[in-house]
Amino acid sequence: MTKQNPMSKALVRRETIAGYAFMLPSLIFFLGFVVYPMIQCVYTSFFDATMNREDIFIGLANYKELFQDKTFLGALKNTVVIVIVSVPITCIFSLWVSSVIYDLKGFACSAFRCIFYLPVVTGSVAVAVVWKWMFNNYYGIFNYIGTSTGLIEQNINWLGDERFALGCIILILLTTSVGQPIVLYVSALNNVDQSLVEAAEVDGATKFQCFWKIKWPQIMPTTLYILVITTINSFQCFALIQLLTSGGPNHSTDTIMYYIYYNAFKLYRYGYGNAMGVVLAIMIALLSALQFKMAESK
Amino acid sequence: MKKRKIMALLMSFAMVCSLTACGGKDTGASQPEPAPAPADNTAAPDTSANQAEPAPADPAQAADITLWTYPVGNWGDSATVDALIANFNAAYPDIHVTVEYLDYTNGDDQINTAIEGNQAPDIVLEGPERLVANWGARGLMVDLADLWTDDAKAAIYDSVENACKSNDGIFYEYPLCMTAHTMAVNRDIFEAAGALQYLDEEKGTWTTENFQKAIQAVYDNGQQNVGAVYCSGQGGDQGTRALINNLYGGTFTNPEHTEYTANSPENIKALELLKGMDGINFDASIAGGDEVNMFCNGTFAVAFCWNATQEKNNAEQGNINFDVLPMAFPTESGDPQLCGGIWGFGIFDNGDQAKIDAAKTFIDFMANDEKQAVESVKASNFWPVKDLGNIYEGDELMSEYAKFIPYMGDYYQVVPGWAEARTAWWNMLQQIGSGTDVSAAVEEFVTTANTAAAK
Amino acid sequence: MKQKQTKQLDVYKIISVIIIAVLAFAFAFPLYWIIIGSFKTSAAINSATPQWWPQEWVLDNYRKLFSKQTAALWEINIPFTSISFAGPTVPAAIRWLLNTVFMAVASMILTCITSAMAGYALAKKRFVGRTLLFSLIVCAMALPKQVILIPLLREMASLELYNTIWAVIFPIVGWPFGVFLMKQFAEGIPGEMMEAAKIDGAGEWKTFYTIALPLIKPGIGALAIFTFINSWNDYFMQLIMLTSTKNLTISLGIAKLQAENATDFGLIMAGASLAAIPIIVVFLIFQKYFTKGITMGAVKG
């Protein structure tokens, strides 16, 4: 970009000074509270660091241990499962809902949009505590509905059972993550060039064809954006896990994010926790690079 | 509109400036005086050098200290603690105490983050498993040798004294009160199920075989959830350990407290038994506190996490509308080994001698002052760690629970690596509850715990 | 022919709308359950058969919530000094609410200012290191905060900001999503307008203030909304950085309440109502701007 606009040296200098002057306030926070800790994180990951003791340099030992740690690998798997399951479902579900509600008359569309957005504004802690109650083994309404309709034979300990806990977490995560995509899709669908749709309908295209051939390409940028934010979102579901299961039962809901916290404040293994952070950061950087590539190639 | 924008800009500018000033390393100028708001005090070890110079000459006077309490009886209740501190301030008006109340679910995490944040409390009220085996062993606590005078050593029971010091003989806790953790049964439900015949109400004991029969009888009588081996976290975990150890006479550690022995055949047999019993679930969604609540509201017919103060508090709050029958854990031999709780004070070394002295003054007053000690102990609803006379004269409930004190067993919670081991413990119970083979799960636990102990 | 298709379409549509209406009900249900639950008696809460509508409405849970702990209503500490002003003593939950509002508003203001300036520079200034900075920002955007948990905690401790609300605010401000968003908006500022301003003799700051700022205002609105909601609901930073009762936020307060009284659902729901209702009211009032802001962020992003 710079190359295309030949600029004098003085101008470059002026622009640089002005540029950094404008960047300065933001840079202080960004470098101070994101980049610097990140560097610290990488650095400490080569140490055996714990509470109230000099850190001991151990090279790559933390990383070596990481890939032999069954719990970490389990947490890695759970993290990937959460992302892989929740991201597509969120996207497809919100696209379906939006495609139905976007042209509803009057109040209906915005009322639906509003309701689906409610769990987002309610806040993760309030959402977590009410779901904890609803999933409760003894007084929860899920067990009540399940047993009284005969769907389940006896009470299920949803959050205390290895087979269901992760699924429950994902379900809650889904309810808190479709709000924004629905808002986005509704507006994207409303902005689809209506003349193209009408022309296709005149040509006898089915509704499905109409959607797939005309609308879908036009809402593609929105889809990509939704993919990115949903991925970020599902990587950050810490509160649900900390409040509902603490990673249990039997580590079945451990995610890397929770396991870092667990290592830091239950096992006092700071260096090890940092090594995990580095691995997670690399994973996420690769994923975002991939998504940006996709966004550019569209 | 414009004004607001300018304000906002000014604000951000000011903040940026202060930040940059900070980045340029603290100098005397930016060093705050001890703040008037005590919880905001910022006396970190690395800054104490700066503060040492103008320090007032008179120690043990004029200090702001923080006290963090776990819910040890009513020491977790702000009205009670405020009254206790008012007593203290009547004697020492210049020491200002700010209290924070912790819970057993997140309290440890909270203290651990605070330690990293250089804002560890000055005084903590808890037991040796945290004060001695965890924070003490990590070198974070102050040696309390000057509180442990010869008189104190003579007065305080030997078993308590031993629990309050590390393996090297350093005292990290000054004890206040103690109890024996028991279990409890819902007498009404047991009576209805005809299960009372299986227990000795007088002595509060029962055999393993009768325990099985009783639970079965209650279960058969329609009580689907008789009790739960709770394991969502560490809250109340001594109850699950005591239950499992007692059933067939297993132990949790070796007598020297150096190694974990949870994989002994007795313990495995006990775990197998519990796993197979009708009406007993391994519940990974609740911890000890939940179990107590659910026992009180009648969901469970037995509680494994119980003691005098549980009954007292819950009865006072009107949570119990049935007859609670405290029981020792069932054993084959009829000789239960109850897990003791010993609570007392420890001081975090925050590098400020004035605060440490003030903290010691506080502890000395709370635990040793003739009039105050009784009140402090009574606030906990537990028993004193030395002879204070019969402080619960005429208190029926406390007399009922006093019969369990002789059953107090070995206090093993001072094994090295305790924090890691208890984490591994609830994970092990979760594994067993999820269907993992008992001996494999126990073996894994012992390996993890012993590795931590050897460190 | 066309008529027929419309009819088919209607059947599909009607069925879908019905399904979605049912789902919408399910989505609103937790909120209903929070509010209703906060007015139930403990017997109603602890019964295995739920009461869909409370038979008896009680305020016990709120009374309990407000009688738990107390704190000064406000306490203004100027950063890096010991000057502070304390307000009257109130139930701690009120203080938590005030802390949360302060935290969310401060994060919002700071983020908007810093991001607007930085986004403008990244989009319009051709300075050395610009590409590098921008890629750094893009990379950091998706990073979960848990990654830097330990170093950040230690940093806050050495800055003596630990256990102050600023320890929560600063990392939020540092999170570079806002910069990214504002850059996308600032790209749309026509170069000619800036040239014209320059020719008129306007300095850098004046150009930004009079030309760029009005043009990216809608973007700032969108960012403000994002930051407000995100910081209100950002539980993790609060959990790590705040410990004193008086410094807690409402989310954290509820989480603590939950840890202390895990099965006292009535009390917890009272707390949850207190946390959720203010922000929901804000949301309902500004609903139009919310949706507009969210969409605009996406179109530009």
Side-chain angles (χ1 to χ4, degrees), chain A residues 101-219:
Chain A
I101 66 169
Y102 82 99
D103 56 355
L104 286 183
K105 302 251 154 34
F107 182 63
C109 175
S110 74
F112 275 128
R113 235 178 9 186
C114 200
I115 290 173
F116 283 108
Y117 203 77
L118 273 183
V120 184
V121 275
T122 308
S124 47
V125 175
V127 166
V129 294
V130 71
W131 281 89
K132 186 167 193 175
W133 181 22
M134 299 201 300
F135 275 131
N136 187 286
N137 188 8
Y138 309 93
Y139 329 111
I141 58 161
F142 281 102
N143 277 334
Y144 172 75
I145 295 172
T147 47
S148 57
T149 57
L151 283 174
I152 51 176
E153 265 173 35
Q154 59 186 53
N155 281 3
I156 291 178
N157 194 355
W158 297 101
L159 294 169
D161 189 318
E162 225 180 316
R163 289 165 299 170
F164 303 115
L166 190 63
C168 294
I169 298 273
I170 293 177
L171 178 69
I172 304 171
L173 183 68
L174 284 175
T175 67
T176 59
S177 58
V178 296
Q180 204 178 335
I182 288 178
V183 172
L184 295 174
Y185 269 136
V186 165
S187 98
L189 286 167
N190 275 324
N191 290 337
V192 165
D193 191 342
Q194 217 48 45
S195 60
L196 286 176
V197 181
E198 273 159 23
E201 273 172 359
V202 171
D203 289 348
T206 63
K207 188 182 149 47
F208 180 76
Q209 281 171 332
C210 215
F211 175 82
W212 190 244
K213 289 268 161 60
I214 296 161
K215 292 183 188 165
W216 175 248
Q218 290 198 48
I219 56 170

Side-chain angles (χ1 to χ4, degrees), chain B residues 200-216:
Chain B
D200 184 337
E201 283 191 61
E202 191 72 17
K203 287 165 70 184
T205 57
W206 44 357
T207 64
T208 303
E209 204 190 329
N210 280 337
F211 168 72
Q212 277 171 267
K213 284 184 189 157
I215 301 288
Q216 190 65 44

Side-chain angles (χ1 to χ4, degrees), chain A residues 275-288:
Chain A
M276 262 174 245
V278 172
V279 171
L280 180 63
I282 291 172
M283 266 174 55
I284 289 176
L286 288 179
L287 199 63
S288 356

Side-chain angles (χ1 to χ4, degrees), chain B residues 385-421:
Chain B
V385 290
K386 54 191 171 193
D387 191 2
L388 293 177
N390 186 3
I391 65 170
Y392 291 114
E393 187 80 61
D395 186 329
E396 224 172 280
L397 180 78
M398 294 306 279
S399 320
E400 187 188 2
Y401 278 87
K403 69 181 172 206
F404 293 105
I405 300 288
Y407 297 136
M408 191 105 95
D410 175 36
Y411 191 87
Y412 55 79
Q413 305 189 24
V414 288
V415 204
W418 179 250
E420 289 94 328

Side-chain angles (χ1 to χ4, degrees), chain A residues 30 292, chain C residues 122 129-141 176:
Chain A
F30 177 55
F292 267 87
Chain C
L122 277 175
R130 173 177 158 278
T131 349
L132 179 78
L133 259 179
F134 185 62
S135 33
L136 199 61
I137 282 170
V138 169
C139 281
M141 236 164 46

